[in-house]
Amino acid sequence: MKITKKDVDYMASLSRLILSESEKEKFTHDLDEMLNYMDKLNELNTQDVEPTVHVFKMKNVFREDKVGPSTDRDEMLFNAPKSEDGCFKVPRIVE
């Protein structure tokens, strides 16, 4: 794939970037090289390669989701500055 200066102009306008002529030429060259490299990578035979997200093998580190005992409501409300009907009472913040 070949990146043209027109493509860089279009991307710059979408990104609202003002580029000088030398920057446009540099980005045209750099983006074209990147796409050429990606084309080269696409030539690799990856048929037997398993898709992966990480380099290292990872496993789920979350604990098992089990129901357990919770803290007693009266115990939680014991140090609350204000409570009402078994709930924390806080100042109104939306008028």
Coordinates of all heavy atoms in Angstrom, one line a residue:
M1 N 0.9 -1.2 0.0 CA 0.0 0.0 0.0 C 0.9 1.2 0.0 O 1.9 1.3 0.6 CB -0.9 0.0 1.2 CG -1.8 1.2 1.3 SD -2.9 1.1 2.8 CE -4.4 1.0 1.9
K2 N 0.5 2.2 -0.7 CA 1.3 3.4 -0.8 C 0.5 4.6 -0.2 O -0.7 4.8 -0.5 CB 1.5 3.7 -2.3 CG 2.4 4.8 -2.6 CD 3.8 4.6 -2.3 CE 4.7 5.8 -2.7 NZ 6.0 5.7 -2.0
I3 N 1.1 5.2 0.8 CA 0.5 6.4 1.4 C 0.9 7.6 0.5 O 2.1 7.8 0.2 CB 1.0 6.6 2.8 CG1 0.5 5.5 3.7 CG2 0.7 8.0 3.4 CD1 -0.9 5.6 4.1
T4 N 0.0 8.4 0.3 CA 0.3 9.6 -0.5 C 0.2 10.9 0.4 O -0.3 10.8 1.5 CB -0.7 9.8 -1.7 OG1 -2.0 10.0 -1.1 CG2 -0.7 8.6 -2.6
K5 N 0.7 11.9 -0.2 CA 0.6 13.2 0.6 C -0.8 13.6 0.8 O -1.2 14.2 1.8 CB 1.4 14.3 -0.2 CG 1.9 15.4 0.6 CD 2.8 16.2 -0.3 CE 3.1 17.5 0.4 NZ 4.0 18.4 -0.5
K6 N -1.7 13.3 -0.2 CA -3.1 13.6 -0.1 C -3.7 12.8 1.1 O -4.5 13.4 1.8 CB -3.8 13.2 -1.4 CG -5.2 13.5 -1.4 CD -5.8 13.1 -2.8 CE -7.3 13.4 -2.8 NZ -7.9 12.9 -4.0
D7 N -3.3 11.6 1.3 CA -3.8 10.8 2.5 C -3.3 11.5 3.8 O -4.1 11.6 4.8 CB -3.2 9.4 2.5 CG -3.7 8.6 1.3 OD1 -4.8 8.8 0.9 OD2 -2.9 7.8 0.8
V8 N -2.1 12.0 3.8 CA -1.6 12.7 5.0 C -2.3 14.0 5.3 O -2.7 14.3 6.4 CB -0.1 12.9 4.9 CG1 0.4 13.8 6.1 CG2 0.7 11.6 4.9
D9 N -2.6 14.7 4.2 CA -3.4 15.9 4.3 C -4.8 15.6 4.9 O -5.3 16.3 5.7 CB -3.6 16.6 2.9 CG -2.4 17.3 2.5 OD1 -1.6 17.7 3.4 OD2 -2.2 17.5 1.3
Y10 N -5.4 14.5 4.4 CA -6.7 14.1 4.9 C -6.7 13.8 6.4 O -7.5 14.2 7.1 CB -7.3 13.0 4.0 CG -8.6 12.5 4.4 CD1 -9.7 13.4 4.3 CD2 -8.8 11.3 5.0 CE1 -11.0 13.0 4.6 CE2 -10.1 10.8 5.3 CZ -11.2 11.7 5.2 OH -12.4 11.3 5.5
M11 N -5.7 13.0 6.8 CA -5.6 12.6 8.2 C -5.3 13.8 9.1 O -5.8 13.9 10.2 CB -4.5 11.5 8.4 CG -4.9 10.2 7.8 SD -3.6 8.9 8.2 CE -2.5 9.2 6.9
A12 N -4.5 14.7 8.5 CA -4.2 15.9 9.3 C -5.5 16.8 9.5 O -5.7 17.3 10.6 CB -3.1 16.7 8.6
S13 N -6.3 16.9 8.4 CA -7.5 17.7 8.6 C -8.5 17.0 9.5 O -9.1 17.7 10.3 CB -8.1 17.9 7.2 OG -8.7 16.7 6.7
L14 N -8.5 15.7 9.5 CA -9.4 15.0 10.5 C -8.9 15.2 11.9 O -9.7 15.3 12.8 CB -9.4 13.5 10.2 CG -10.2 13.0 8.9 CD1 -10.1 11.5 8.7 CD2 -11.6 13.4 9.0
S15 N -7.6 15.3 12.1 CA -7.0 15.4 13.4 C -6.9 16.9 13.8 O -6.4 17.2 14.9 CB -5.6 14.8 13.4 OG -5.7 13.4 13.0
R16 N -7.3 17.7 12.9 CA -7.1 19.2 13.1 C -5.7 19.6 13.4 O -5.4 20.4 14.3 CB -8.1 19.7 14.2 CG -9.5 19.4 13.8 CD -10.4 19.9 14.9 NE -11.8 19.4 14.5 CZ -12.9 20.1 14.8 NH1 -12.8 21.2 15.5 NH2 -14.0 19.7 14.4
L17 N -4.8 19.0 12.6 CA -3.4 19.3 12.7 C -2.9 20.2 11.6 O -3.4 20.0 10.4 CB -2.5 18.0 12.7 CG -2.7 17.1 13.9 CD1 -1.9 15.8 13.6 CD2 -2.3 17.7 15.2
I18 N -2.1 21.1 11.9 CA -1.5 22.0 10.8 C -0.1 21.5 10.6 O 0.7 21.6 11.6 CB -1.6 23.5 11.2 CG1 -3.0 23.9 11.4 CG2 -0.9 24.3 10.1 CD1 -3.2 25.3 12.0
L19 N 0.2 20.9 9.5 CA 1.5 20.4 9.2 C 2.2 21.2 8.2 O 1.6 21.7 7.2 CB 1.4 18.9 8.7 CG 0.7 17.9 9.7 CD1 0.6 16.6 9.0 CD2 1.4 17.8 11.0
S20 N 3.5 21.3 8.4 CA 4.4 22.0 7.3 C 4.6 21.0 6.2 O 4.3 19.8 6.3 CB 5.7 22.5 8.0 OG 6.5 21.3 8.3
E21 N 5.1 21.5 5.1 CA 5.4 20.6 4.0 C 6.4 19.6 4.3 O 6.3 18.4 3.9 CB 5.9 21.5 2.8 CG 4.8 22.3 2.1 CD 3.7 21.3 1.6 OE1 4.0 20.3 0.9 OE2 2.5 21.7 1.8
S22 N 7.4 20.0 5.1 CA 8.5 19.0 5.5 C 7.9 17.9 6.4 O 8.2 16.7 6.3 CB 9.6 19.6 6.1 OG 9.3 20.3 7.3
E23 N 6.9 18.3 7.3 CA 6.3 17.3 8.2 C 5.4 16.4 7.3 O 5.4 15.2 7.6 CB 5.4 18.0 9.2 CG 6.3 18.7 10.3 CD 5.4 19.6 11.2 OE1 4.4 20.2 10.8 OE2 5.8 19.6 12.4
K24 N 4.7 16.9 6.4 CA 3.9 16.1 5.5 C 4.7 15.0 4.8 O 4.3 13.9 4.7 CB 3.1 16.9 4.5 CG 2.0 17.8 5.1 CD 1.3 18.6 4.1 CE 0.4 19.6 4.7 NZ -0.2 20.5 3.8
E25 N 5.8 15.5 4.3 CA 6.7 14.5 3.5 C 7.3 13.5 4.5 O 7.3 12.3 4.1 CB 7.9 15.3 2.9 CG 7.4 16.1 1.7 CD 8.6 16.8 1.0 OE1 9.7 16.4 1.2 OE2 8.3 17.8 0.4
K26 N 7.6 13.9 5.7 CA 8.2 13.0 6.7 C 7.1 11.9 7.1 O 7.4 10.7 7.1 CB 8.7 13.7 7.9 CG 9.2 12.8 9.0 CD 9.6 13.6 10.2 CE 10.2 12.8 11.3 NZ 9.8 11.5 11.6
F27 N 5.9 12.4 7.4 CA 4.8 11.5 7.8 C 4.4 10.6 6.6 O 4.1 9.4 6.8 CB 3.6 12.2 8.3 CG 3.9 12.9 9.6 CD1 3.4 14.2 9.9 CD2 4.5 12.2 10.6 CE1 3.7 14.8 11.1 CE2 4.8 12.9 11.9 CZ 4.4 14.1 12.1
T28 N 4.4 11.1 5.4 CA 4.1 10.3 4.2 C 5.1 9.1 4.1 O 4.8 8.0 4.0 CB 4.2 11.1 2.9 OG1 3.2 12.2 3.1 CG2 3.8 10.3 1.7
H29 N 6.4 9.5 4.3 CA 7.5 8.4 4.2 C 7.3 7.5 5.4 O 7.4 6.2 5.2 CB 8.8 9.1 4.2 CG 10.0 8.2 4.3 ND1 10.6 7.8 5.4 CD2 10.6 7.5 3.3 CE1 11.5 7.0 5.2 NE2 11.6 6.8 3.9
D30 N 7.2 8.0 6.6 CA 7.1 7.1 7.8 C 5.9 6.2 7.8 O 6.0 5.0 8.0 CB 7.0 7.9 9.1 CG 8.3 8.7 9.4 OD1 9.4 8.4 8.7 OD2 8.3 9.5 10.3
L31 N 4.7 6.7 7.4 CA 3.5 5.9 7.4 C 3.6 4.8 6.3 O 3.2 3.7 6.4 CB 2.3 6.7 7.1 CG 1.9 7.6 8.3 CD1 0.8 8.6 7.9 CD2 1.4 6.7 9.5
D32 N 4.2 5.2 5.1 CA 4.4 4.3 4.1 C 5.3 3.1 4.5 O 5.1 1.9 4.2 CB 5.0 5.0 2.8 CG 4.8 4.1 1.6 OD1 3.7 3.6 1.4 OD2 5.8 4.0 0.9
E33 N 6.4 3.5 5.2 CA 7.3 2.4 5.7 C 6.6 1.5 6.7 O 6.8 0.3 6.7 CB 8.5 3.0 6.4 CG 9.6 3.5 5.4 CD 10.9 3.7 6.0 OE1 11.1 3.4 7.2 OE2 11.8 4.2 5.3
M34 N 5.8 2.1 7.6 CA 5.0 1.2 8.5 C 4.1 0.2 7.8 O 4.1 -0.9 8.1 CB 4.2 2.1 9.4 CG 5.0 2.8 10.5 SD 3.9 3.7 11.6 CE 4.8 5.2 11.8
L35 N 3.4 0.7 6.8 CA 2.5 -0.2 6.1 C 3.3 -1.2 5.3 O 2.8 -2.4 5.2 CB 1.6 0.7 5.2 CG 0.6 1.5 5.9 CD1 -0.3 2.3 4.9 CD2 -0.4 0.6 6.7
N36 N 4.4 -0.8 4.7 CA 5.2 -1.8 4.1 C 5.7 -2.9 5.0 O 5.8 -4.1 4.7 CB 6.5 -1.2 3.4 CG 6.1 -0.4 2.2 OD1 5.1 -0.7 1.5 ND2 6.9 0.6 1.8
Y37 N 6.1 -2.5 6.2 CA 6.5 -3.5 7.2 C 5.3 -4.4 7.6 O 5.5 -5.6 7.8 CB 7.0 -2.8 8.5 CG 7.6 -3.7 9.5 CD1 8.8 -4.4 9.2 CD2 7.0 -3.9 10.7 CE1 9.3 -5.3 10.1 CE2 7.5 -4.8 11.6 CZ 8.7 -5.5 11.3 OH 9.2 -6.3 12.2
M38 N 4.2 -3.8 7.7 CA 3.0 -4.7 8.1 C 2.7 -5.6 6.9 O 2.3 -6.8 7.2 CB 1.8 -3.8 8.4 CG 1.9 -3.0 9.6 SD 0.6 -1.8 9.9 CE -0.7 -2.9 10.5
D39 N 2.9 -5.2 5.7 CA 2.7 -6.1 4.6 C 3.7 -7.3 4.7 O 3.4 -8.4 4.4 CB 2.9 -5.4 3.2 CG 1.7 -4.6 2.9 OD1 0.6 -4.8 3.4 OD2 1.8 -3.7 2.1
K40 N 4.9 -6.9 5.1 CA 6.0 -8.0 5.2 C 5.6 -9.0 6.3 O 5.8 -10.2 6.2 CB 7.3 -7.3 5.5 CG 8.5 -8.2 5.4 CD 9.8 -7.5 5.5 CE 10.9 -8.4 5.2 NZ 12.1 -7.8 4.9
L41 N 5.0 -8.4 7.4 CA 4.6 -9.3 8.5 C 3.4 -10.2 8.1 O 3.3 -11.4 8.5 CB 4.1 -8.5 9.7 CG 5.2 -7.8 10.5 CD1 4.6 -6.9 11.6 CD2 6.2 -8.8 11.1
N42 N 2.6 -9.7 7.2 CA 1.5 -10.5 6.7 C 1.9 -11.7 5.9 O 1.1 -12.6 5.6 CB 0.5 -9.6 5.9 CG -0.4 -8.8 6.8 OD1 -0.6 -9.1 8.0 ND2 -0.8 -7.6 6.3
E43 N 3.2 -11.6 5.4 CA 3.7 -12.7 4.6 C 4.0 -13.9 5.4 O 4.2 -15.0 4.9 CB 4.9 -12.3 3.8 CG 4.6 -11.3 2.8 CD 5.9 -10.7 2.1 OE1 7.0 -11.2 2.5 OE2 5.8 -9.8 1.3
L44 N 4.2 -13.7 6.8 CA 4.5 -14.8 7.7 C 3.4 -15.9 7.7 O 2.2 -15.5 7.7 CB 4.8 -14.3 9.1 CG 6.0 -13.4 9.2 CD1 6.0 -12.8 10.6 CD2 7.3 -14.2 9.0
N45 N 3.8 -17.1 7.8 CA 2.8 -18.2 8.0 C 2.5 -18.4 9.5 O 3.3 -18.8 10.3 CB 3.4 -19.5 7.4 CG 2.4 -20.6 7.6 OD1 1.3 -20.5 8.0 ND2 2.9 -21.8 7.2
T46 N 1.3 -18.0 9.9 CA 0.9 -18.0 11.3 C -0.2 -19.0 11.5 O -0.9 -19.0 12.5 CB 0.5 -16.6 11.7 OG1 -0.6 -16.2 10.9 CG2 1.6 -15.6 11.7
Q47 N -0.3 -20.0 10.5 CA -1.4 -20.9 10.6 C -1.4 -21.7 11.9 O -2.4 -22.0 12.5 CB -1.3 -21.8 9.4 CG -2.6 -22.7 9.3 CD -2.5 -23.5 8.0 OE1 -1.5 -23.5 7.2 NE2 -3.6 -24.2 7.7
D48 N -0.2 -22.2 12.4 CA -0.1 -23.0 13.6 C 0.1 -22.2 14.8 O 0.4 -22.8 15.9 CB 1.0 -24.1 13.4 CG 0.6 -25.0 12.3 OD1 -0.6 -25.3 12.1 OD2 1.5 -25.5 11.6
V49 N 0.1 -20.9 14.8 CA 0.4 -20.1 15.9 C -1.0 -19.7 16.6 O -1.9 -19.2 16.0 CB 1.1 -18.8 15.5 CG1 1.3 -17.9 16.7 CG2 2.4 -19.1 14.8
E50 N -1.0 -20.0 17.9 CA -2.2 -19.8 18.6 C -2.3 -18.3 19.0 O -1.4 -17.7 19.4 CB -2.2 -20.6 20.0 CG -3.5 -20.6 20.7 CD -3.4 -21.6 21.9 OE1 -2.8 -22.6 21.7 OE2 -3.9 -21.2 22.9
P51 N -3.5 -17.7 18.7 CA -3.7 -16.3 19.0 C -3.5 -16.0 20.5 O -3.8 -16.8 21.4 CB -5.1 -15.9 18.6 CG -5.6 -17.1 17.8 CD -4.7 -18.3 18.2
T52 N -2.8 -14.9 20.9 CA -2.6 -14.6 22.3 C -2.7 -13.1 22.5 O -2.6 -12.3 21.5 CB -1.2 -15.1 22.7 OG1 -1.0 -14.8 24.1 CG2 -0.1 -14.4 21.9
V53 N -3.0 -12.7 23.7 CA -3.1 -11.3 24.0 C -1.9 -10.8 24.7 O -1.4 -9.7 24.5 CB -4.4 -11.1 24.9 CG1 -4.5 -9.6 25.4 CG2 -5.6 -11.5 24.2
H54 N -1.3 -11.7 25.5 CA -0.1 -11.4 26.3 C 1.1 -12.3 25.9 O 0.8 -13.4 25.5 CB -0.4 -11.5 27.8 CG -1.4 -10.6 28.3 ND1 -1.2 -9.3 28.5 CD2 -2.7 -10.8 28.6 CE1 -2.3 -8.7 29.0 NE2 -3.2 -9.6 29.0
V55 N 2.2 -11.8 26.2 CA 3.4 -12.6 25.9 C 3.5 -13.8 27.0 O 3.9 -14.9 26.7 CB 4.7 -11.8 26.0 CG1 5.9 -12.6 25.8 CG2 4.6 -10.7 24.9
F56 N 3.1 -13.4 28.2 CA 3.2 -14.4 29.3 C 1.8 -15.1 29.4 O 0.8 -14.5 29.2 CB 3.5 -13.7 30.6 CG 4.8 -12.9 30.5 CD1 4.8 -11.5 30.5 CD2 6.0 -13.5 30.5 CE1 6.0 -10.8 30.4 CE2 7.2 -12.8 30.4 CZ 7.2 -11.5 30.4
K57 N 1.9 -16.3 29.9 CA 0.6 -17.0 30.1 C 0.0 -16.5 31.4 O 0.7 -16.3 32.4 CB 0.9 -18.5 30.3 CG 1.3 -19.2 29.1 CD 1.2 -20.7 29.2 CE 1.6 -21.3 27.9 NZ 0.5 -21.9 27.2
M58 N -1.2 -16.1 31.3 CA -1.9 -15.5 32.4 C -3.2 -16.3 32.7 O -3.8 -16.9 31.8 CB -2.3 -14.0 32.1 CG -1.0 -13.1 31.9 SD -1.5 -11.4 31.6 CE -2.0 -10.9 33.3
K59 N -3.6 -16.2 34.0 CA -4.9 -16.9 34.3 C -5.7 -15.9 35.1 O -5.1 -14.9 35.7 CB -4.6 -18.2 35.1 CG -4.0 -18.0 36.4 CD -3.8 -19.3 37.1 CE -3.2 -19.0 38.5 NZ -3.1 -20.2 39.3
N60 N -6.9 -16.2 35.2 CA -7.8 -15.3 36.0 C -7.4 -15.3 37.5 O -7.2 -16.3 38.1 CB -9.2 -15.8 35.9 CG -10.2 -14.9 36.5 OD1 -9.9 -13.8 37.0 ND2 -11.5 -15.2 36.3
V61 N -7.2 -14.1 38.0 CA -6.7 -13.9 39.4 C -7.8 -13.5 40.3 O -7.6 -13.2 41.5 CB -5.5 -12.9 39.5 CG1 -4.3 -13.5 38.8 CG2 -5.9 -11.6 38.9
F62 N -9.0 -13.5 39.8 CA -10.1 -13.1 40.7 C -10.5 -14.2 41.6 O -10.4 -15.4 41.2 CB -11.4 -12.7 39.8 CG -11.1 -11.5 38.9 CD1 -11.2 -11.6 37.6 CD2 -10.8 -10.3 39.5 CE1 -11.0 -10.5 36.8 CE2 -10.6 -9.2 38.7 CZ -10.7 -9.3 37.3
R63 N -11.0 -13.9 42.7 CA -11.4 -14.9 43.7 C -12.8 -15.5 43.2 O -13.5 -14.8 42.4 CB -11.5 -14.3 45.1 CG -12.6 -13.3 45.2 CD -12.8 -12.9 46.7 NE -13.6 -11.7 46.8 CZ -14.9 -11.7 46.7 NH1 -15.6 -12.8 46.5 NH2 -15.6 -10.6 46.8
E64 N -13.1 -16.6 43.8 CA -14.4 -17.2 43.5 C -15.5 -16.3 44.0 O -15.4 -15.8 45.1 CB -14.5 -18.6 44.1 CG -15.6 -19.4 43.6 CD -15.6 -20.8 44.2 OE1 -14.6 -21.2 44.7 OE2 -16.7 -21.4 44.3
D65 N -16.6 -16.2 43.3 CA -17.7 -15.3 43.7 C -18.6 -16.1 44.6 O -19.5 -16.9 44.1 CB -18.4 -14.8 42.5 CG -19.4 -13.7 42.8 OD1 -19.3 -13.2 43.9 OD2 -20.3 -13.5 42.0
K66 N -18.4 -16.0 45.9 CA -19.2 -16.7 46.9 C -19.9 -15.7 47.8 O -19.3 -14.7 48.2 CB -18.3 -17.7 47.7 CG -17.8 -18.8 46.9 CD -17.2 -19.9 47.8 CE -16.1 -19.4 48.7 NZ -15.4 -20.4 49.4
V67 N -21.0 -16.1 48.3 CA -21.7 -15.3 49.2 C -21.1 -15.6 50.6 O -20.9 -16.7 51.0 CB -23.3 -15.6 49.3 CG1 -24.0 -14.8 50.3 CG2 -23.9 -15.3 47.9
G68 N -20.8 -14.5 51.3 CA -20.2 -14.7 52.7 C -20.9 -13.8 53.7 O -21.8 -13.0 53.3
P69 N -20.5 -13.8 54.9 CA -21.2 -13.0 55.9 C -20.8 -11.5 55.7 O -19.7 -11.2 55.2 CB -20.6 -13.5 57.2 CG -19.3 -14.2 56.8 CD -19.5 -14.7 55.4
S70 N -21.8 -10.7 55.9 CA -21.5 -9.2 55.8 C -21.5 -8.6 57.1 O -22.0 -9.2 58.1 CB -22.6 -8.6 54.8 OG -23.8 -8.7 55.4
T71 N -21.1 -7.3 57.2 CA -21.1 -6.6 58.4 C -22.5 -6.2 58.8 O -23.3 -5.9 58.0 CB -20.2 -5.3 58.2 OG1 -19.0 -5.7 57.7 CG2 -20.0 -4.6 59.6
D72 N -22.7 -6.3 60.1 CA -24.0 -5.9 60.7 C -24.3 -4.5 60.4 O -23.5 -3.6 60.6 CB -24.0 -6.2 62.2 CG -25.3 -6.0 62.8 OD1 -26.3 -6.6 62.4 OD2 -25.4 -5.1 63.7
R73 N -25.6 -4.2 60.0 CA -25.9 -2.8 59.7 C -25.8 -1.9 60.9 O -25.2 -0.8 60.7 CB -27.4 -2.7 59.2 CG -27.8 -1.3 58.8 CD -29.2 -1.1 58.5 NE -29.9 -2.3 58.0 CZ -31.2 -2.2 57.6 NH1 -31.8 -1.1 57.6 NH2 -31.8 -3.3 57.2
D74 N -26.2 -2.3 62.0 CA -26.1 -1.4 63.2 C -24.7 -1.1 63.6 O -24.3 0.0 64.0 CB -26.8 -2.1 64.4 CG -28.4 -2.2 64.2 OD1 -28.9 -1.3 63.4 OD2 -29.0 -3.1 64.7
E75 N -23.8 -2.2 63.3 CA -22.4 -2.0 63.6 C -21.8 -0.9 62.6 O -21.0 -0.1 63.0 CB -21.7 -3.3 63.4 CG -20.2 -3.3 63.9 CD -19.7 -4.7 63.7 OE1 -20.4 -5.7 63.9 OE2 -18.5 -4.8 63.4
M76 N -22.2 -1.0 61.4 CA -21.7 0.0 60.4 C -22.2 1.4 60.7 O -21.5 2.4 60.5 CB -22.1 -0.4 59.0 CG -21.4 -1.6 58.4 SD -21.6 -1.8 56.6 CE -23.4 -2.1 56.5
L77 N -23.4 1.5 61.2 CA -24.0 2.8 61.4 C -23.6 3.4 62.8 O -23.9 4.6 63.1 CB -25.5 2.8 61.4 CG -26.1 2.5 60.0 CD1 -27.6 2.3 60.1 CD2 -25.8 3.6 59.0
F78 N -22.9 2.6 63.6 CA -22.5 3.0 64.9 C -21.7 4.3 64.9 O -22.0 5.2 65.7 CB -21.8 1.9 65.6 CG -21.3 2.2 67.0 CD1 -22.3 2.3 68.0 CD2 -20.0 2.5 67.3 CE1 -21.9 2.6 69.3 CE2 -19.6 2.9 68.6 CZ -20.6 2.9 69.6
N79 N -20.8 4.5 64.0 CA -19.9 5.7 64.0 C -20.4 6.7 63.0 O -19.7 7.7 62.8 CB -18.5 5.3 63.7 CG -17.8 4.6 64.8 OD1 -18.1 4.9 66.0 ND2 -17.0 3.6 64.5
A80 N -21.5 6.5 62.3 CA -22.0 7.5 61.4 C -22.5 8.7 62.1 O -23.1 8.7 63.1 CB -23.2 6.9 60.6
P81 N -22.1 9.9 61.5 CA -22.5 11.2 62.2 C -24.1 11.3 62.3 O -24.6 11.7 63.3 CB -22.0 12.3 61.3 CG -21.0 11.6 60.4 CD -21.3 10.2 60.4
K82 N -24.7 10.8 61.2 CA -26.2 10.8 61.2 C -26.7 9.6 60.5 O -26.2 9.2 59.5 CB -26.8 12.1 60.5 CG -26.5 13.4 61.2 CD -27.1 14.5 60.5 CE -26.8 15.8 61.2 NZ -27.2 17.0 60.4
S83 N -27.8 9.1 61.0 CA -28.4 7.9 60.3 C -29.9 8.0 60.5 O -30.4 8.7 61.4 CB -27.9 6.6 60.9 OG -28.3 6.5 62.2
E84 N -30.6 7.4 59.6 CA -32.1 7.5 59.7 C -32.7 6.2 59.0 O -32.3 5.9 57.9 CB -32.6 8.7 59.0 CG -34.1 8.9 59.1 CD -34.5 10.2 58.4 OE1 -34.1 11.3 58.8 OE2 -35.3 10.1 57.4
D85 N -33.5 5.5 59.7 CA -34.2 4.3 59.2 C -33.2 3.3 58.7 O -33.3 2.6 57.6 CB -35.2 4.7 58.0 CG -36.3 5.6 58.5 OD1 -36.7 5.5 59.7 OD2 -36.8 6.4 57.6
G86 N -32.1 3.1 59.4 CA -31.1 2.1 59.0 C -30.2 2.5 57.9 O -29.5 1.7 57.3
C87 N -30.2 3.8 57.5 CA -29.3 4.3 56.4 C -28.5 5.4 56.8 O -28.8 6.1 57.8 CB -30.2 4.7 55.2 SG -31.2 3.5 54.5
F88 N -27.3 5.7 56.1 CA -26.5 6.9 56.4 C -27.3 8.1 55.9 O -28.0 8.1 54.9 CB -25.2 6.8 55.6 CG -24.3 5.8 56.0 CD1 -24.1 4.6 55.4 CD2 -23.5 6.0 57.2 CE1 -23.3 3.6 55.8 CE2 -22.6 5.0 57.6 CZ -22.5 3.8 56.9
K89 N -27.3 9.1 56.7 CA -27.9 10.4 56.3 C -26.9 11.4 56.0 O -26.0 11.7 56.8 CB -28.8 10.9 57.5 CG -29.7 12.0 57.1 CD -30.7 12.4 58.1 CE -31.6 13.5 57.6 NZ -32.6 13.8 58.6
V90 N -26.9 11.9 54.8 CA -25.9 12.9 54.3 C -26.6 14.1 53.9 O -27.8 14.1 53.6 CB -25.1 12.3 53.2 CG1 -24.3 11.1 53.6 CG2 -26.0 11.9 52.0
P91 N -25.8 15.2 53.9 CA -26.4 16.5 53.4 C -26.8 16.4 51.9 O -26.2 15.8 51.1 CB -25.3 17.5 53.6 CG -24.2 16.9 54.2 CD -24.4 15.4 54.3
R92 N -27.9 17.1 51.6 CA -28.3 17.1 50.2 C -27.3 17.9 49.4 O -26.9 19.0 49.8 CB -29.7 17.8 50.1 CG -30.3 17.8 48.8 CD -31.7 18.5 48.9 NE -32.3 18.2 47.6 CZ -33.6 17.9 47.5 NH1 -34.4 17.9 48.6 NH2 -34.2 17.7 46.4
I93 N -26.9 17.3 48.2 CA -25.9 18.0 47.4 C -26.5 18.5 46.1 O -25.9 19.3 45.4 CB -24.7 17.1 47.1 CG1 -25.2 15.8 46.4 CG2 -23.9 16.8 48.3 CD1 -24.0 15.0 45.9
V94 N -27.7 18.0 45.7 CA -28.4 18.5 44.5 C -29.6 19.3 44.9 O -30.4 18.8 45.7 CB -28.8 17.3 43.6 CG1 -29.5 17.8 42.4 CG2 -27.5 16.5 43.2
E95 N -29.7 20.5 44.5 CA -30.9 21.3 44.8 C -32.0 21.1 43.9 O -31.9 20.8 42.7 CB -30.5 22.8 44.8 CG -29.4 23.2 45.7 CD -29.9 23.3 47.2 OE1 -31.1 23.6 47.4 OE2 -29.1 22.9 48.1

